[in-house]
Structures are given as structure tokens and as C-alpha cells.
Amino acid sequence: MRPLSRIIHGLALALLFFVSPGRAQNAAVAAQAPALSQTGSLLTQSPAGSTAKPADPLRLSINLEGAERPAQMSVAVQIVLLMTLLSVAPSLVLLMTSFTRIVIVLGFVRTALGVPSAPSNQIIIGLSLFLTFFIMGPTFDRVNKEALQPYLAGHMTSPDALDRASAPMKEFMLKQTRTRDLEYFLELGGYGPTAVKDLPIRVVIPAFVISELQTAFQMGFLLFLPFLVIDFLVSSVLMALGMMMMPPNVVSLPFKLLLFVLVDGWHLIVKSLVQSFLN
């Protein structure tokens, strides 16, 4: 059995030599140690002057550190609330500011003129946004001064900041909201007689939107009247001349544009819109 044992040891040394040439000498030393061969252990040493270390395998570690600290959790909640606010910001701009009335009236002006593509939608929406920022400037300044800056300075909590921020917005919306619409939504919500300062925001917002739609359509009706008169006159003249095959819109369009330019229509419309919110 001794020759067979030597053959097995020789094959093991050869295998170690081909797999790791730098460790062949260490494998030979380990094979000659009787104590290590009896226990089945193999002792390897790095060659002299070698400082290389085996690379650690890649690991993926997911830790939830600091979960017991309330400050870290509050920051995470604030980030979630901020992302949620950014996602609903367009709806807030559309429904809680003067944007609704302005964009509807400007759309009526374009339709009344008979030019559905001039000005384009981008121009109308951009003008409506800038007019909205101009009209809502004092309200936004109050929100920034009374709620945002104290909250960023750490002088108030998030619920207090939200209450302070909603007060100027509610005041602006109530100035433009009809009493009939407020009473209707109070009745739908099951509220009894409520003071103006105690009106919930979920009642004020829908009542404000309905009032804005009503006001915008009333202004649009008044804008259509002069252009409708021009259409009637042009149609009557064409019928009297026997030009029944001539489209009245083609003939009336230059007269509409001429009237709109002569009266400085854009200035009058923008002025009326701005004053309707400032009064």
C-alpha cells in the first residue's frame, strides 16, 4: 500500500501545480508534513515577498439603518409628501388659481375670431400661466411669508404650515365664489350653518371651480356678440347680392380682425380679466 500512497500523493501534487503554479511549493511542503496529512488539513503560505491578497467576492447589502431614529423617518415622509405635491401641482394650479377663467376666455376669443389655430395652444396656455402668476403674486407672497419660510426655518410643524398656507388660498377663492355654490356643496357634504372662516377646503375648491366656469362662460358670451353681429351683416349682404355660394366666414374674417385690431382687443381682454380678480 505504500507505493500506492506515494502515487496518490504525486498525483495530488501535480494537480496542485497545474491549478496554482505559485502554490506548488507550498503544496509539496504540506504533503511532506505527516501531522497535517493525518488530520486531512493543508497549510499554505504565501511566497516570500508577495503582498497580494485574494479579492473579496461581490456582495449586495440592503440595510435599514437608523429606522429607530424619528428624524430619519420624518425626512423620508417629507420626501414622499414633496413628490406627491409635485405630481398634483398642475391640478392645484388649474383649479385653485385664476388659470381656469383666463384660459377659457382666451379660448373663446380665438373661437369668436374664427381662427382656431392662431394664437396656438402653447401661446394661450403660456399667456394664461403668466397672467395667473401675476394675479396670484400677492397670495403666493403671503403663503411664502406666513407658511413656507417659517417652516423651512423650523419654527412650525408641517400641519401648522399647511394650515397657514391654505388660509390665503382660501381667502382668494372665497372672493371669487358665489354664495349659492358654497351653500350647495355644504348641503351635499352634510354640513350645517358654517362660518366663512370655518369652511373646509374640500367645499371651497369645487364651489370655486363651478363659479369660475360660470364667470368664464358669461365673459365668453359677451365676447361673441360683436363678432356675431359682423357675421349677420356679412351673410345679409351676400344674400342680397346673390352670392349664396360664397362662405360668409371667409368674407367676415378680415372684418373681425380689423375690428379686433382697431379696438385693441388683446389689451381690453387682458385688462378685463385682471380687473375681474382684483375688484
Side-chain angles (χ1 to χ4, degrees):
M1 295 299 293
R2 188 176 297 274
L4 181 60
S5 173
R6 292 179 179 177
I7 294 174
I8 293 176
H9 281 290
L11 292 176
L13 290 175
L15 180 61
L16 289 175
F17 178 80
F18 285 107
V19 172
S20 179
R23 297 182 180 180
Q25 184 178 1
N26 296 331
V29 173
Q32 294 176 0
L36 294 179
S37 62
Q38 291 177 0
T39 58
S41 301
L42 181 63
L43 177 62
T44 60
Q45 297 178 357
S46 299
S50 175
T51 59
K53 296 182 180 180
D56 295 334
L58 297 177
R59 295 184 178 89
L60 176 62
S61 177
I62 300 178
N63 297 325
L64 296 177
E65 299 179 356
E68 67 278 359
R69 291 181 293 181
Q72 297 295 331
M73 294 301 294
S74 63
V75 171
V77 172
Q78 291 174 11
I79 294 175
V80 172
L81 291 178
L82 178 61
M83 297 302 295
T84 305
L85 181 61
L86 291 178
S87 63
V88 301
S91 299
L92 297 178
V93 172
L94 291 177
L95 300 180
M96 297 180 63
T97 62
S98 58
F99 181 83
T100 303
R101 184 190 304 184
I102 295 173
V103 74
I104 291 176
V105 171
L106 294 180
F108 275 136
V109 172
R110 184 177 62 178
T111 305
L113 285 173
V115 282
S117 59
S120 63
N121 291 331
Q122 291 83 355
I123 295 177
I124 288 181
I125 294 176
L127 179 59
S128 302
L129 284 174
F130 281 107
L131 289 176
T132 300
F133 294 147
F134 175 78
I135 295 172
M136 301 295 297
T139 304
F140 290 158
D141 290 340
R142 285 187 56 191
V143 172
N144 180 58
K145 181 179 179 181
E146 299 177 4
L148 182 58
Q149 293 302 326
Y151 173 72
L152 294 178
H155 297 159
M156 64 175 57
T157 60
S158 300
D160 294 337
L162 290 176
D163 293 339
R164 291 285 187 89
S166 62
M169 299 298 299
K170 186 189 298 185
E171 181 180 348
F172 169 80
M173 289 187 290
L174 288 175
K175 289 182 179 179
Q176 311 298 329
T177 306
R178 292 177 172 84
T179 305
R180 179 184 60 185
D181 296 328
L182 285 173
E183 293 176 352
Y184 174 70
F185 283 101
L186 283 174
E187 182 180 356
L188 286 180
Y191 295 94
T194 307
V196 175
K197 63 179 181 179
D198 298 331
L199 288 173
I201 194 68
R202 71 187 189 97
V203 171
V204 176
I205 292 178
F208 170 74
V209 174
I210 297 299
S211 299
E212 286 294 284
L213 292 175
Q214 180 71 16
T215 304
F217 274 76
Q218 289 177 355
M219 298 179 68
F221 171 76
L222 296 177
L223 288 171
F224 263 93
L225 287 180
F227 301 110
L228 186 61
V229 172
I230 294 177
D231 288 334
F232 281 148
L233 293 176
V234 171
S235 299
S236 300
V237 171
L238 292 178
M239 289 290 292
L241 295 176
M243 303 175 64
M244 293 178 294
M245 301 301 295
M246 187 70 177
N249 294 333
V250 177
V251 180
S252 62
L253 180 58
F255 294 100
K256 292 179 181 179
L257 294 177
L258 179 62
L259 174 65
F260 195 73
V261 172
L262 289 177
V263 300
D264 199 2
W266 290 113
H267 174 76
L268 292 177
I269 291 171
V270 171
K271 180 180 178 180
S272 300
L273 285 171
V274 174
Q275 288 182 350
S276 66
F277 288 100
L278 300 181
N279 291 335

